[in-house]
Amino acid sequence: MDSAENRNNLENFWHYAYNDFVMKGRAERVLGMEISMKVVLEQLTKIFPPRNKKTGTEVIAVNQFSMEIPDGKLIGLLGPSGCGKSTVLNLLCGLQKPTSGKIYFGDDEVTGLPAESRGVGMVFQNYALYPHLTVKQNIIFPLQNLKGEHRPTREEMDAKAKEVAEMVQIDALMDRKPSELSGGQQQRVAIARALVKMPRILLMDEPLSNLDARLRLQTREEIKRIQNETGITTIFVTHDQEEAMSISDMILVMKEGVLHQAGKPQEVYDNPKNLFVATFLGTPPINVFAGEIKAGCLYIGDENVMETPGVTDREVYVGVRPEGFVLDARGAFSCKLKGVEVMGRDISVISTHDNSLNPTVRSIISAENAVDTAREEVRFTLKPHKVYLFQKDTEERIYLD
Ligand code: ADP
Ligand code: MG
């Protein structure tokens, strides 16, 4: 039921009139008030029933997701493919109904409101433009469906289309059809269309995934700029941690329907709550070793690499960020040297270790250091604030005193 309902809703998304919110948005604009707003998700859960009732199992796509998203910020919703990101967006915009839980925009509960009354702008990965309409017609499409007194005049529509087209820098392409545009330009049209009614909230589902690498970099900066200029609370979905880290004011890290951690990108990177968050953020990724706490010290293999005050004896996972290694001939931690990659300012030292959970250990050190590649062993001291300990069973973080 859900997928048919969803597809139908999706096709009709841009046919919806946003009468409630346009009225509200205008009134607030006239009064010079802030139109963006915080978004509150309360114990939000979405369970998809099995396709085949006898043999299938249900999918818990979103599981007890609670979060207060501050207003006027760019939020990166991040997690591996299939973790429930699109489902969260679909619940927020009203394309799908939650199994349980509540959604608030500002102080208004919107859980039961149809999509057209929520005042949400949505940008999809595949742009979803109308091929037979020009750029300008695509942009003003949502305005043309407004009814009665809320329907702008032709001049107002043209002015609004021009305003948002200039904002996303496609104002020179207004008479073209989507097939005459590059992928990047098509995505800009989709963004303009989502902005034309001044949504209270802008949702973007992997908006950059169909673009090539260079365009992806450029367009993500554009999204940052547009969000800044409009001040619209924007939730940006991606599976690419670097993309989310680089432009977001705040990131939400999800796995298997569960929100694992939320915060400023650097804070989450510096202070991951569990092994999943630690491994998901960072390029190159964090190095993970099997280790053991004995009498207040951390051992990796039989080497005592660090003091760990206050942690009782146990087996642990040890995460070491690539920048957490200091080259030191007398350092306590030794690895088998495999190679060195010079990357301008930095050197990436590639080595192996019997206790490493990854095939190679990657450490990044300043290019001013000389690595003797003739040697079979490389020794390091570890920077304590770049080393994280995790419970072996729950993979939750263990904090030092
Ligand atoms: P993401 O966007 O993070 O890749 P989704 O939100 O699309 O993840 O999907 C989350 C989970 O819910 C996946 O296991 C997916 O297969 C499942 N799912 C998504 N939509 C439906 C649907 N309409 N019917 C059944 N299962 C679905
Ligand atoms: Mg998705």
Side-chain angles (χ1 to χ4, degrees), residues 2-3 6 48-49 51 59 61 80-88 96:
D2 244 305
S3 65
N6 185 26
F48 291 108
R51 282 195 200 286
V59 176
S81 187
C83 74
K85 304 179 296 295
S86 295
T87 308
V88 170
Q96 292 173 341

Side-chain angles (χ1 to χ4, degrees), residues 200-269:
R200 301 196 286 183
I201 291 152
L202 182 60
L203 304 176
M204 306 180 120
D205 196 352
E206 311 238 10
L208 309 179
S209 342
N210 287 5
L211 307 180
D212 66 50
R214 210 170 63 91
L215 209 52
R216 226 168 23 236
L217 280 180
Q218 192 189 339
T219 313
R220 80 185 191 199
E221 295 305 319
E222 292 279 295
I223 289 173
K224 178 86 189 157
R225 175 183 62 78
I226 292 163
Q227 194 280 324
N228 246 318
E229 278 177 21
T230 59
I232 297 172
T233 307
T234 301
I235 303 177
F236 171 97
V237 161
T238 177
H239 61 270
D240 181 339
Q241 58 88 23
E242 203 239 322
E243 197 166 281
M245 298 269 290
S246 63
I247 61 165
S248 307
D249 297 312
M250 179 187 221
I251 54 171
L252 311 180
V253 188
M254 270 186 94
K255 183 192 173 191
E256 292 169 3
V258 175
L259 175 63
H260 278 248
Q261 195 165 353
K264 289 188 180 147
Q266 191 66 41
E267 283 173 11
V268 180
Y269 179 84

Side-chain angles (χ1 to χ4, degrees), residues 5-16 95 130 141:
E5 171 201 58
N6 185 26
R7 198 164 43 243
N8 196 23
N9 279 343
L10 203 66
E11 280 170 11
N12 288 326
F13 190 79
W14 298 107
H15 290 273
Y16 286 133
L95 283 173
Y130 293 111
F141 194 87

